[in-house]
Amino acid sequence: MDETIDVVVVRVFTNESGRNGNELGIVLSSEATAAREQEIATALGFSETVFVDAVDEPGRTASIRIFTPAKELPFAGHPSVGTAWWLADRRTPVDVLRETAGDVEVAVDDDTAWITARPEWTPEFAWLALETPEDVEALDPFAFTTGQTYAYAWIDEEAGSIRARMFAPAMGIVEDEATGAAAVALTARLGRPLSILQGEGSDIATEPLGDGRIRVGGSVVYDRTIEASL
């Protein structure tokens, strides 16, 4: 008989009305998922799926692994933010997510979650700086066939407001709705706090810290739970 697993789906970096945001699949690691993580993530098709190990006490840490449909990532922003919020929402909050790249500090306040990460943990992005938000919105996702390209333009440079889109065929993602890792890297690149409007209307906030790390966060909402057959 086929086994089934529950996959919790949350949306990360929603706008102030709780709309948009990037879907994240969250799976509790088990014997059923062991050594099948990439297969499961590919079948689910979310831009990222997280596999969560048990929460450790008293240090309040959880180890996670992150998979796109095509590969495992040592760190990713929207899965880290979404997992931090979900753990707090189920009353098993943590202070640290242990990821392959390193320990990610987290904080959750109601519907908003924050993580602190290092820019060197992020993938290599091709930066496409454009003149206007309309130029960003006019891009054809299928014109990008390799790598990870992050396109952006200032909405209001003085206010640090940016319009962005991200295309990642190398990760098996035609277009990512909201990309926390790219927000971390861009904040380090520009050296200032940012308010990023990405994709269809997802909101990402960032803040550079004095030690070179970047704080990134946004709102998260529960969307649904699905039962997946293995």
Side-chain angles (χ1 to χ4, degrees), residues 130-160:
L130 299 175
E131 290 295 322
T132 70
E134 290 76 19
D135 292 335
V136 175
E137 291 163 3
L139 293 171
D140 177 6
F142 295 99
F144 299 87
T145 57
T146 61
Q148 293 95 224
T149 301
Y150 195 82
Y152 68 96
W154 290 109
I155 298 172
D156 183 336
E157 186 170 359
E158 184 177 353

Side-chain angles (χ1 to χ4, degrees), residues 30 39 45 52 68 71-72 88 98 126 130 150 159 166 169 188 208 230:
S30 66
E39 173 190 348
V52 183
T68 77
K71 62 192 293 187
E72 183 173 5
R98 288 184 173 157
L130 299 175
Y150 195 82
M166 207 282 274
L230 299 181

Side-chain angles (χ1 to χ4, degrees), residues 100-126:
T100 303
D103 286 355
V104 178
E105 294 179 12
V106 307
V108 179
D109 181 14
D110 294 329
D111 291 334
T112 302
W114 293 86
I115 64 164
T116 303
R118 298 190 177 277
E120 56 266 31
W121 293 347
T122 67
E124 291 289 332
F125 294 99

Side-chain angles (χ1 to χ4, degrees), residues 33-99:
T33 65
R36 300 185 65 184
E37 290 90 351
Q38 185 62 72
E39 173 190 348
I40 294 167
T42 301
L44 289 172
F46 300 117
S47 60
E48 278 104 0
T49 299
V50 169
F51 294 83
V52 183
D53 287 337
V55 177
D56 299 324
E57 294 288 356
R60 297 214 311 178
T61 65
S63 297
I64 67 171
R65 295 176 68 189
I66 303 167
F67 292 80
T68 77
K71 62 192 293 187
E72 183 173 5
L73 299 178
F75 163 77
H78 113 266
S80 301
V81 172
T83 302
W85 177 87
W86 176 73
L87 287 169
D89 187 63
R90 71 195 294 265
R91 295 180 173 82
T92 54
V94 299
D95 301 311
V96 173
L97 293 173
R98 288 184 173 157
E99 306 185 21

